[in-house]
Amino acid sequence: MDRKVLIRKVIVYAVYILLLTSFQVTFPRAISFRGQIADLMFVFVVMTGYFFGFADGAVVGLITGLFRDYFAGPAFIGLDGKTARTVGIGMLVLFLAAAVSSSFFTRRMHRNLTFAFLATAACTLIYKISGHIIASLWTSATSSNSYGLSIGTIITDSILPQLMLNLIITVPMIFLLRFAGPYKKGVNPYLDKEEIGGNTWLTI
Amino acid sequence: MVALVSLLLLAVIVIGALPGSPLRKGLRSIGSVASPAQRGVKFVGNKASDFWAAVTDGMAIREENEELHDEIARLRYQLTQYEEAGIKYEELREAFHIRDTFSNYDIYGASVLSREADEWFAVVRIGLGTTDGVSMPEGDSFAVVDVETNLIGRVIELEENDSTVLPLLHEGFVVSGKVNEVNGIGVTVSGDAALKAEGLCLVTGISENEILEVGAEIVTSGDGGLFPQGIPIGVIESVDYSNPIAITATLRPYADISSLNDVFVMIPYSLIDEWEEEAEESDVPSSAEETEQG
């Protein structure tokens, strides 16, 4: 890889990771609805994986996840009944999000723009549904209380608001990656030509 | 590749969950990069917010200013009365050996550094760390309150420059409480996944022989030893008597951490005395060594 390309890529990713992560944990209520927060980190990783491939998405996902763990690493009730903070869940979540998005119909749809929204929607749904399943199982294993959230509440107060917020912030995220992203012209030239399909997604 | 990395990350999660795990210390080093960037974003965001408020609130500020002038005059008069009352209270306190509610606790102020990232990544970081001269014994915890001493959460991790707070609404938060009256009934207040979105806590442990009334104020009971007795938590919003063997209620906390910029951590003087003794002990050998060397 060309040295200039590499330097630009590293700087752009570093700046975006720091800014988006910091913004989300400092002003979480700036973009929120029904108690849910627009997940800038998550959407950034999903879009990076979708547009620029698995390698970029995985690295960005792992680093962003590390920052997510540092700032707001989830605390869970352990088997000993004590609540403790965990390390690595953010990294795992964002790495898997990048892995899913980087293979989300990318060959068939050539990473085109419309499917970027579907990629965000699919990854958000997978994250929220699996998150609630794991949280529910963990709660019943470690606590005498039930999880308490009905399926209806999960859909109306958790999944749908989160889905809406993430889809909204996908728009600026696409512009960011397209016009001020890690690659000139918004395309990773090192991906298979078949996957980027003659830069079809550039037609914004 | 994906499976391998995922397995490695699962191992990281398991090892990281062990007490005293080196991975936690590794995560702290991220702070040297992440914290300055986040403080920068916070500074710029606050400045922009202040600027916007200055532009939009001009008329409202002028009206408020006039009202505040009147209020200052009224408060000055009140202050002189309270000063006299304060002197009398001090005299009586000494005469009757009355203890202040939290006289055994010192208060450390800290600013809120970062908040939750989503519904599961939901801890809060505050700017109080070991460099401020505090430490937290394993298994211990400190109460975090607002400026009116209302309970906000508890410190679960203390690092070099900051600490992690588990908010009152978090599912992992549990505290013993009681109705704020003489021989008030005891209850257990905890965070609940279903009530969190409405800003409410779950109240359990209500005896079937007792009546918990809507509007009753709940304060910490001091049972369990983590928190001092008498910290206001909130008021009972609803009570469900439908199941006599498991009566539950909802509580609306007084404090909302999402709207606060500064919080206060309550640390027992007994612990501070221990730190001072330890500091003195660690100073003694070093001064002895210096004498030998001299």
Side-chain angles (χ1 to χ4, degrees), chain A residues 10-31:
Chain A
V10 170
I11 290 173
V12 170
Y13 278 141
V15 169
Y16 283 159
I17 290 170
L18 282 173
L19 284 182
L20 294 173
T21 307
S22 300
F23 186 84
Q24 188 173 336
V25 297
T26 311
F27 306 106
R29 299 286 153 200
I31 319 170

Side-chain angles (χ1 to χ4, degrees), chain A residues 22 24-26 29 36 66-68 70-75 83 85 87 95-96 127-128 131-132 147-149 158, chain B residues 5-6 13 24 27 30-31 34-35 38 41 114-121 123 125 157 162 164 170 172 193-194:
Chain A
S22 300
Q24 188 173 336
V25 297
T26 311
R29 299 286 153 200
Q36 300 300 316
L66 193 62
F67 280 86
R68 195 180 176 97
Y70 171 75
F71 281 121
T83 305
R85 209 173 148 202
V87 179
F95 170 75
L96 290 176
Y127 171 52
K128 295 305 271 190
H132 280 292
Y147 188 47
L149 285 172
S158 176
Chain B
V5 176
S6 301
I13 294 167
R24 282 168 188 272
L27 190 69
I30 301 298
S35 289
Q38 193 251 335
V41 168
S114 66
R115 300 166 196 276
E116 74 275 26
D118 77 359
E119 64 186 300
W120 295 301
F121 291 77
V123 293
R125 280 171 57 254
E157 225 174 65
D162 47 59
T164 307
H170 193 283

Side-chain angles (χ1 to χ4, degrees), chain B residues 38-292:
Chain B
Q38 193 251 335
R39 279 172 216 253
V41 168
K42 189 180 176 191
F43 177 79
V44 172
N46 287 341
K47 284 284 171 196
S49 167
D50 291 348
F51 177 74
W52 181 246
V55 171
T56 55
D57 296 350
M59 286 293 285
I61 287 170
R62 199 181 296 168
E63 282 172 20
E64 196 181 345
N65 199 23
E66 285 172 14
E67 284 171 18
L68 287 173
H69 274 300
D70 295 341
E71 200 174 343
I72 285 170
R74 192 174 52 80
L75 290 173
R76 275 189 181 145
Y77 171 70
Q78 252 183 19
L79 184 66
T80 50
Q81 288 187 317
Y82 286 147
E83 275 173 352
E84 281 177 29
I87 293 164
K88 281 179 190 160
Y89 170 73
E90 282 299 321
E91 287 169 2
L92 286 169
R93 194 167 73 96
E94 278 180 30
F96 289 101
H97 305 287
I98 297 169
R99 278 171 56 192
D100 289 331
T101 317
F102 307 121
S103 58
N104 294 333
Y105 288 81
D106 198 2
I107 306 287
Y108 285 72
S111 58
V112 175
L113 297 178
S114 66
R115 300 166 196 276
E116 74 275 26
D118 77 359
E119 64 186 300
W120 295 301
F121 291 77
V123 293
V124 173
R125 280 171 57 254
I126 60 169
L128 179 77
T130 50
T131 48
D132 297 301
V134 295
S135 64
M136 195 169 72
E138 186 81 24
D140 214 337
S141 188
F142 301 137
V144 183
V145 295
D146 70 359
V147 70
E148 288 167 353
T149 0
N150 297 317
L151 189 66
I152 292 171
R154 67 183 176 93
V155 175
I156 54 168
E157 225 174 65
L158 197 75
E159 290 163 19
E160 199 177 323
N161 295 311
D162 47 59
S163 40
T164 307
V165 174
L166 191 73
L168 186 55
L169 295 177
H170 193 283
E171 296 91 317
F173 191 96
V174 184
V175 62
S176 296
K178 71 179 191 89
V179 175
N180 192 19
E181 56 190 40
V182 180
N183 299 324
I185 64 168
V187 294
T188 302
V189 179
S190 57
D192 182 77
L195 296 170
K196 189 163 67 173
E198 297 167 56
L200 299 172
C201 290
L202 181 69
V203 180
T204 52
I206 306 161
S207 164
E208 55 186 309
N209 303 319
E210 308 273 8
I211 291 178
L212 183 64
E213 286 177 2
V214 171
E217 184 186 51
I218 303 295
V219 297
T220 53
S221 67
D223 296 344
L226 279 184
F227 299 148
Q229 185 183 339
I231 303 175
I233 306 174
V235 288
I236 296 295
E237 194 157 283
S238 66
V239 187
D240 180 7
Y241 287 103
S242 58
N243 183 356
I245 53 165
I247 301 164
T248 59
T250 59
L251 173 138
R252 183 162 298 279
Y254 286 129
D256 174 17
I257 199 164
S258 66
S259 62
L260 295 174
N261 287 321
D262 296 291
V263 296
F264 301 89
V265 179
M266 300 179 76
I267 301 177
Y269 277 118
S270 56
L271 210 56
I272 297 168
D273 291 342
E274 273 178 34
W275 300 336
E276 284 173 357
E277 277 170 24
E278 280 170 20
E280 276 171 21
E281 278 171 20
S282 61
D283 280 350
V284 171
S286 61
S287 54
E289 278 170 25
E290 277 169 20
T291 322
E292 277 176 23

Side-chain angles (χ1 to χ4, degrees), chain A residues 104-183:
Chain A
F104 189 78
F105 296 106
T106 43
R107 279 193 184 274
R108 185 176 292 231
M109 303 311 295
H110 308 300
R111 301 180 191 275
N112 77 29
L113 201 61
T114 325
F115 258 68
F117 290 94
L118 282 178
T120 300
C123 290
T124 304
L125 282 174
I126 294 169
Y127 171 52
K128 295 305 271 190
I129 292 169
S130 47
H132 280 292
I133 291 171
I134 292 168
S136 148
L137 291 174
W138 189 256
T139 306
S140 51
T142 57
S143 163
S144 55
N145 295 338
S146 66
Y147 188 47
L149 285 172
S150 66
I151 292 175
T153 314
I154 288 173
I155 292 170
T156 55
D157 289 357
S158 176
I159 294 176
L160 288 180
Q162 188 72 68
L163 195 62
M164 190 194 78
L165 289 167
N166 284 3
L167 285 173
I168 289 170
I169 56 163
T170 300
V171 178
M173 210 63 84
I174 290 171
F175 275 90
L176 211 62
L177 291 174
R178 162 68 183 93
F179 295 109
Y183 297 102

